[in-house]
Amino acid sequence: MKVLGISGSLRQGSYNSAVLRVAQALAPEGMLIERAEIGDLPLYNEDLRARGFPPPVERLRRQMAEADALLFVTPEYNYSVPGVLKNAIDWASRPPNQPFDGKPVAVMGASTGNFGTARAQYHLRQMLISLNAHFVNRPEVMIAQANKKFDEAGNLTDEPTREIIRKLLAALQDWTRRLKAG
Ligand SMILES: Cc1cc2nc3c(=O)[nH]c(=O)nc-3n(C[C@H](O)[C@H](O)[C@H](O)COP(=O)(O)O)c2cc1C
């Protein structure tokens, strides 16, 4: 099972990108999580789109289409997802063959605040409903006060957080199999 992991943060020391790396390491038997690059996508512009998808967009759309499932790991910016992530979704969502249609999707997120990206995650779910993605509902992985859950080397040391990530990945694997089986 191939899963495409997408971090909504571009910064080097990102907690969310670190959580995605942890997910890669904790993936259950039979699941491979690859990471998408969204930092080189141009800002969405319908004029660009009219000339064809730019190569980084083509790449992202192909990776999404080829993946059995998607895994978003998003920060919360001003109660929503960061613009870079929305931009990537906007590009990928354009016809033909938008890759979210019928796709199993899971989301998690880390913030330095107390709500662990809850508001951003619900916005993401709302966006992808219109594109007919099929979200894993539970567990919800909302990592609050992320700065207290990593050590100085950037390792996720909080065991309950590692455990809930494992549970989400197992749920995504199960959900993907169930959707494929029809
Ligand atoms: C523009 C901006 C807006 C932010 N808004 C929120 C917010 O609404 N809620 C929250 O919990 N944290 C917010 N934060 C703090 C982020 O949780 C924090 O910067 C976090 O480390 C970002 O994720 P990253 O480490 O993966 O880059 C905001 C940060 C920035 C830069």
Side-chain angles (χ1 to χ4, degrees), residues 57-78:
V57 175
E58 279 287 10
R59 181 198 63 221
L60 179 66
R61 283 169 53 92
R62 191 180 57 249
Q63 288 176 319
M64 285 180 163
E66 287 172 2
D68 298 301
L70 306 177
L71 174 64
F72 287 95
V73 190
T74 185
E76 180 171 282
Y77 278 9
N78 299 314

Side-chain angles (χ1 to χ4, degrees), residues 9 11 14-16 75-79 110-113 119:
S9 178
R11 76 184 184 95
S14 161
Y15 293 117
N16 287 277
E76 180 171 282
Y77 278 9
N78 299 314
Y79 286 24
S111 82
T112 51
R119 296 158 295 213

Side-chain angles (χ1 to χ4, degrees), residues 11-88:
R11 76 184 184 95
Q12 196 71 40
S14 161
Y15 293 117
N16 287 277
S17 299
V19 168
L20 179 51
R21 287 194 293 274
V22 170
Q24 288 179 294
L26 297 180
E29 183 78 34
M31 177 186 281
L32 178 70
I33 304 175
E34 292 174 349
R35 302 179 57 184
E37 170 66 60
I38 60 169
D40 58 349
L41 269 57
L43 289 177
Y44 189 83
N45 181 332
E46 190 71 27
D47 297 338
L48 284 183
R49 160 82 185 88
R51 285 183 241 137
F53 288 117
V57 175
E58 279 287 10
R59 181 198 63 221
L60 179 66
R61 283 169 53 92
R62 191 180 57 249
Q63 288 176 319
M64 285 180 163
E66 287 172 2
D68 298 301
L70 306 177
L71 174 64
F72 287 95
V73 190
T74 185
E76 180 171 282
Y77 278 9
N78 299 314
Y79 286 24
S80 188
V81 301
V84 290
L85 182 55
K86 181 66 160 64
N87 185 56

Side-chain angles (χ1 to χ4, degrees), residues 53 61 64 88-100 131:
F53 288 117
R61 283 169 53 92
M64 285 180 163
I89 291 168
D90 290 343
W91 270 118
S93 70
R94 303 308 292 153
N97 305 322
Q98 65 89 356
F100 298 103
L131 296 168

